[in-house]
């Protein structure tokens, strides 16, 4: 056994908390109180380890043993076997579906070993509420470095040469933005963090704010010092209660430690930071809408020709960056621009955090060097598709992004390559879809989302998107016409050209990319009245293939309306009159005998 | 229409926490929403006066932001996620089941004032999709089958 003091890290990010990790944490504290052991291990609650689906996650250091799906009732065994006797509790180890074996340290697992954590470097390793933990891992050293040994010019130069591009969506060079703001001399200037994270399916910003709030604060102070700003705001999404709490605690302890407030670390530089709680409007993630929201107005975007670096908050020069962008700043300052440039590709340096979700085996947060291929992301790290079903597509970039079909599985995951194939990076949401996802319905879903979130200022955006939703509703309900496809295309063009902000300008992307790559599916819906994914209920029917059915009876048992009949060991049959097309039989059948057909009345 | 159950004392307490600056409008409205479960008309007048803003401005804030509502909500707000990750893992079926068990549609409140259903876009726990949240407690990996018993727990707790 190592002489270093043992640590037990219990993941208390949102995902693990949902699976009762807090009780696991307190159980460890209790259990260790009643243990006679020379050196009592310290127990810490940490932020998200990324593999939330397999949570609660418990790590034992320095042994590097990681346990997954830990329940309160497992705590005794972990303490007795592992802590007291140095034995590993096999059954709680990670099961690697690629290597088909259990893995002792999470670092060796397929999900983690391809990762390279910069923005997420501390998350899962520290107690987010402890500034001491952050400092132990080099926290606030970058701040000290800039305050006492760098000029604003040098700081900006360093960020510029690192090639860091904004992680919030557009990939705008961060150094450029800082330099432009630096050059304006009308004070006050503001530094703002975009923590609105509206892209459904993405949760990296949440994880950073919850799991390592100090890195965001440190990044913002560094920028403030460089551009000469004394006041900053953190705009945090309404739903993110834990993120707001941990950020608030971190701001308070940074104040107490002299990293915020007056005369920071004795340097004479002042900077104050406060949190603004969002109001639950997607469009408020857009820079000018976000600023209007901080000012206490309705969050409507304004025309882009007025740039917010020049006239931002209260019309003063403002730097707005995304949470993940901020988290990259302290390590770049400490390790240098060259170190950062060495990661990723030439024009896309560093790493990007992706949230890998949907129909993939290992869902969670993944930080990889830019330039990693989509295939590596989905298959090596993600472990492939759930139940090994066929891969159909991924959607990146959220509602403004596009879908990527399997022909492009080898695309490099970086800003430029994704743009080239009609999708975009966005905030890094990667939604994996299999053959049971209907691409037409997905397009309909995104358009409905955007119709609801449009602020309504531009007619093209407001009316255009709703019209597209109506057309897509018709197609998915079985009332589509072939002319609809041309109409969708021409509407897409108009909305793109005539809308003011990024929401409208990118809104048609989901329709355009699905039309481009999955036109056959649209035609199948319109002409053959068939949804082969079994999602559009009017265009779906289920039946049982007599030759494949083994007569196990499972489907009949699970069918909520009793629509399936048959005797054991002989082929079963579905009655179309009683079937409500819930798809239960399709998902439970062990032999793949349930097949999806088109609209039932056609048969 | 004056709602007699509204105690404006509490609104005044909320206002006292903030300096009378326009930028606190959203924060004040959030606090009011939390206090009453919605934004009552009378409080909008109070806020407008306190911040020296037209009532229409306060009203448009209250209608623009989804976190605010003009109608009273239930004691427990069931938020069912229909973000993309949840959507493709079957959140529709989950929404239908919640609506059926409570016999109301999303946006409505049960007649006993106990539950409201809201459809939200992503709760940031996408790895556990489909997800629903009741009073800040997350329920991950939800299935239709689990809905009834989860709701029953809250019914019993009242
Ligand atoms: C409709 C819309 C929504 C957006 N939502 C977000 C968001 O939730 N988070 C974010 O960081 N950026 C969002 N953006 C991008 C921001 O406008 C802005 O580019 C970004 O915050 C700048 O930071 P960065 O350069 O560090 O990426 C959104 C843009 C648009 C048009
Ligand atoms: S494009 Fe849409 S969301 Fe953007 S300003 Fe116009 S109406 Fe509002
Ligand atoms: S579950 Fe599949 S194999 Fe079993 S009876 Fe139904 S159709 Fe046949
Ligand atoms: S919250 Fe624990 S792994 Fe994500
Ligand atoms: S999509 Fe449902 S929690 Fe993110």
């Amino acid at each position: 056994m190592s002489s270093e003091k043992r640590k037990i890290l219990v993941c208390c990010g949102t995902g693990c908390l949902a699976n009762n990790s807090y009780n696991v944490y307190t159980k460890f504290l209790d259990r260790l109180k009643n243990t006679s052991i020379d050196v009592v291990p310290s127990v810490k609650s940490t932020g998200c380890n990324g593999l939330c689906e397999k949570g609660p996650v418990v790590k034992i250091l320095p042994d590097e043993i990681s346990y997954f799906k830990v329940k309160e009732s497992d705590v005794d065994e972990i303490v007795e076997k592992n802590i007291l006797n140095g034995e590993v509790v096999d059954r709680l180890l990670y099961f690697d579906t690629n290597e088909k074996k259990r893995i002792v340290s999470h670092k060796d697992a397929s999900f983690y070993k391809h990762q390279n954590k910069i923005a997420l470097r501390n998350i899962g390793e520290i107690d987010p509420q402890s500034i001491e933990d952050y400092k132990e891992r080099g926290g606030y050293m970058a701040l000290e470095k800039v305050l006492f040994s760098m000029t604003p010019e040098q700081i900006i130069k360093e960020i510029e040469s690192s090639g860091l591009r904004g992680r919030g969506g557009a990939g705008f060079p961060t150094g450029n933005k800082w330099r432009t703001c630096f050059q304006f001399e009308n004070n006050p200037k503001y530094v703002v963090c975009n923590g609105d994270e509206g892209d459904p399916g993405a949760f990296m910003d949440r994880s950073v704010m919850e799991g390592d709030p100090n890195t965001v604060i440190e990044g913002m102070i560094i920028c403030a010092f460089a551009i000469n700003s004394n006041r900053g705001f953190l705009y945090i999404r309404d739903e993110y209660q834990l993120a707001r709490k941990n950020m608030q605690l971190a701001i308070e302890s940074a104040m107490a430690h002299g990293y915020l407030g007056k005369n920071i670390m004795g340097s004479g530089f002042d900077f104050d930071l406060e949190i603004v709680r969002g109001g639950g409007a997607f469009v408020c993630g857009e820079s000018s809408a976000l600023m209007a929201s901080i000012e206490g107005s309705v969050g409507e975007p304004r025309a882009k020709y007025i740039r917010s670096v020049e006239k931002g908050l209260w019309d003063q020069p403002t730097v707005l960056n995304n949470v993940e962008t901020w988290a990259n700043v302290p390590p770049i300052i400490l390790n240098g621009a060259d170190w950062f440039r060495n990661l990723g590709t030439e024009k896309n340096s560093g790493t990007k955090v992706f949230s890998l979700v949907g129909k993939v085996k290992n869902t969670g947060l993944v930080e990889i060097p830019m330039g990693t291929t989509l295939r590596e992301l989905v298959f090596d790290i993600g472990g492939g598709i759930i139940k090994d079903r066929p891969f159909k597509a991924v959607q990146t970039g959220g509602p403004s992004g596009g879908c990527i079909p399997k022909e492009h599985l080898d695309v490099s995951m970086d800003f430029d390559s994704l743009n080239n194939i009609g999708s975009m990076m966005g905030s890094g949401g990667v939604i994996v879809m299999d053959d049971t996802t209907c691409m037409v319905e997905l397009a309909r879903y995104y358009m409905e989302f955007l119709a609801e979130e449009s602020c309504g200022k531009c007619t093209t955006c407001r009316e255009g998107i709703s019209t597209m939703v109506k057309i897509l509703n018709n197609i998915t309900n079985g009332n589509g016409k072939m002319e609809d496809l041309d109409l969708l295309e021409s509407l897409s063009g108009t909305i793109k050209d005539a809308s003011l902000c990024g929401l409208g300008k990118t809104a048609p992307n989901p329709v355009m990319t699905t039309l481009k790559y999955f036109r056959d599916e649209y035609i199948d819906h319109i002409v053959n009245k068939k949804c082969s994914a079994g999602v559009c209920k009017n265009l779906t029917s289920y039946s049982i293939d007599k030759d494949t059915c083994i007569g196990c009876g499972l489907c009949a048992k699970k069918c909520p309306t009793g629509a399936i009949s048959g005797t054991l060991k002989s082929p079963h049959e579905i009655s179309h009159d009683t079937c409500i097309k819930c798809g239960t039989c399709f998902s439970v059948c062990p032999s793949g005998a349930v097949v999806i057909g088109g609209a039932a009345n056609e048969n | 229409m004056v709602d007699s159950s509204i105690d404006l004392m509490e609104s005044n307490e909320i206002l006292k926490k903030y300096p009378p600056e326009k930028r606190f409008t959203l924060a004040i409205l959030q606090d009011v929403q939390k206090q009453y479960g919605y934004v009552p008309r009378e409080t909008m007048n109070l806020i407008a006066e306190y911040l020296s803003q037209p009532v229409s401005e306060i009203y448009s804030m209250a209608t623009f932001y989804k976190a605010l509502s003009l109608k009273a909500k239930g004691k427990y707000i069931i938020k069912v996620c229909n973000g993309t990750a949840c959507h493709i893992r079957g959140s529709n079926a989950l929404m239908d089941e919640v609506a059926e068990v409570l016999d109301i549609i999303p946006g409505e409140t049960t007649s006993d004032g106990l539950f409201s259903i809201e459809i939200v876009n992503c709760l940031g726990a996408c790895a556990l999709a489909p997800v629903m949240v009741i009073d800040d407690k997350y329920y991950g990996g939800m299935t239709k089958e689990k809905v009834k018993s989860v709701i029953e727990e809250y019914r019993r707790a009242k």
Side-chain angles (χ1 to χ4, degrees), chain A residues 280-557:
Chain A
F282 174 74
V283 77
C284 284
E286 193 274 341
S287 51
S288 58
L290 181 140
M291 291 179 198
S293 186
I294 296 180
E295 291 169 10
S297 302
V298 162
E300 275 177 7
R302 62 173 191 200
K304 250 287 142 40
Y305 60 84
I306 324 165
R307 292 177 309 154
S308 58
V309 261
E310 184 178 354
K311 285 186 185 302
L313 258 187
W314 293 290
D315 277 341
Q316 293 299 118
T318 304
V319 166
L320 169 75
N321 278 128
N322 161 266
V323 171
E324 190 187 331
T325 314
W326 290 121
N328 275 294
V329 170
I332 291 175
I333 295 292
L334 272 186
N335 304 321
D338 290 340
W339 161 80
F340 195 74
R341 282 208 84 97
N342 272 333
L343 292 159
T345 68
E346 195 194 337
K347 295 215 168 74
N348 296 267
S349 50
T351 55
K352 177 75 192 89
V353 183
F354 292 99
S355 75
L356 188 60
V357 297
K359 307 277 180 73
V360 63
K361 281 182 192 158
N362 301 326
T363 52
L365 282 188
V366 176
E367 183 170 358
I368 42 176
M370 290 224 228
T372 306
T373 68
L374 178 58
R375 187 187 301 278
E376 288 171 79
L377 181 59
V378 174
F379 290 93
D380 297 345
I381 298 173
I385 309 299
I386 293 178
K387 293 189 185 165
D388 294 316
R389 299 198 70 89
F391 169 93
K392 189 189 255 183
V394 303
Q395 170 89 12
T396 63
S400 330
C403 71
I404 304 174
K406 66 169 179 292
E407 298 92 281
H408 287 302
L409 259 175
D410 290 308
V411 66
S412 144
M413 297 297 279
D414 63 65
F415 291 107
D416 305 321
S417 311
L418 289 172
N419 278 345
N420 288 344
I421 56 168
S423 185
M424 62 184 234
M425 175 78 88
S427 55
V430 175
I431 322 267
V432 181
M433 293 167 279
D434 65 5
D435 62 337
T436 62
T437 315
C438 168
M439 301 312 285
V440 185
E441 202 282 333
L442 185 81
R444 189 205 62 80
Y445 163 80
Y446 277 122
M447 295 320 272
E448 195 175 69
F449 173 92
L450 292 164
E452 224 172 87
E453 298 295 344
S454 161
C455 77
K457 196 167 167 177
C458 313
T459 324
T460 42
C461 174
R462 190 184 62 229
E463 303 295 331
I465 299 177
S466 317
T467 310
M468 287 176 88
V469 173
K470 275 191 207 122
I471 300 174
L472 291 163
N473 272 332
N474 280 342
I475 300 179
T476 51
N477 285 334
N479 302 319
K481 296 188 286 290
M482 279 309 280
E483 304 89 87
D484 288 343
L485 301 186
D486 301 330
L487 199 53
L488 284 176
E489 266 158 0
S490 74
L491 277 167
S492 294
T494 317
I495 298 173
K496 236 181 156 75
D497 294 338
S499 302
L500 191 63
C501 86
L503 190 152
K505 283 188 189 308
T506 57
N509 285 357
V511 175
M512 290 185 354
T513 51
T514 45
L515 265 176
K516 178 169 171 197
Y517 296 121
F518 295 96
R519 204 180 185 88
D520 288 353
E521 260 186 57
Y522 280 86
I523 297 174
D524 223 16
H525 280 70
I526 297 172
V527 179
N528 306 327
K529 306 287 175 211
K530 180 175 176 195
C531 173
S532 55
V535 173
C536 304
K537 294 302 165 205
N538 283 355
L539 305 179
T540 298
S541 62
Y542 293 97
S543 51
I544 293 171
D545 181 55
K546 283 194 181 65
D547 301 329
T548 329
C549 176
I550 53 170
C552 69
L554 201 57
C555 56
K557 210 162 115 196

Side-chain angles (χ1 to χ4, degrees), chain B residues 15-137:
Chain B
L15 291 179
K16 265 192 235 155
K17 291 195 299 185
Y18 298 93
E21 292 170 32
K22 181 172 195 266
R23 70 186 187 96
F24 296 113
T25 320
L26 181 54
I28 293 172
L29 285 166
Q30 298 258 28
D31 285 2
V32 167
Q33 171 81 37
K34 185 155 188 228
Q35 177 69 40
Y36 302 103
Y38 70 115
V39 183
R41 174 81 216 191
E42 300 88 319
T43 60
M44 283 194 257
N45 295 336
L46 264 189
I47 297 168
E49 200 179 311
Y50 182 72
L51 299 175
S52 315
Q53 293 288 315
V55 184
S56 60
E57 173 78 21
I58 309 295
Y59 182 81
S60 45
M61 296 272 290
T63 48
F64 179 82
Y65 290 105
K66 288 222 179 97
L68 308 171
S69 69
L70 299 176
K71 277 193 300 187
K73 290 198 181 153
K75 180 172 175 198
Y76 301 113
I77 300 171
I78 305 186
K79 296 185 177 177
V80 185
C81 182
N82 191 30
T84 323
C86 292
H87 183 75
I88 70 166
R89 282 206 196 167
S91 57
N92 274 336
L94 189 59
M95 292 187 284
D96 291 347
E97 180 70 10
V98 175
E100 197 178 312
V101 170
L102 294 176
D103 199 19
I104 50 172
I105 59 167
E108 291 183 344
T109 303
T110 51
S111 53
D112 57 4
L114 216 47
F115 298 101
S116 304
I117 312 177
E118 278 176 26
I119 306 299
V120 295
N121 294 312
C122 193
L123 292 157
C126 326
L128 306 180
V131 178
M132 95 189 185
V133 165
I134 306 181
D135 268 9
D136 296 323
K137 174 150 175 48

Side-chain angles (χ1 to χ4, degrees), chain A residues 150-198:
Chain A
M150 286 175 90
T151 62
E153 172 59 35
Q154 286 170 327
I155 300 169
I156 293 172
K157 189 100 206 105
E158 195 74 33
I159 299 297
E160 276 174 339
S161 11
S162 74
L164 176 65
R165 296 172 67 171
R167 291 341 192 204
F172 189 83
T174 306
N176 271 16
K177 201 186 271 182
W178 293 19
R179 174 163 312 277
T180 316
C181 197
F182 171 69
Q183 284 160 350
F184 293 113
E185 281 176 359
N186 48 327
N187 283 333
K189 297 181 190 174
Y190 299 105
V191 175
V192 182
C193 171
N194 191 340
D196 201 40
E197 191 152 68

Side-chain angles (χ1 to χ4, degrees), chain A residues 543-546 548-557 564-574 584-595:
Chain A
S543 51
I544 293 171
D545 181 55
K546 283 194 181 65
T548 329
C549 176
I550 53 170
C552 69
L554 201 57
C555 56
K557 210 162 115 196
I564 304 176
S565 54
T567 40
L568 278 182
K569 294 192 179 150
S570 56
H572 281 49
E573 211 171 336
I574 299 177
T584 306
C585 51
F586 180 80
S587 41
V588 298
C589 176
S591 56
V594 178
V595 287

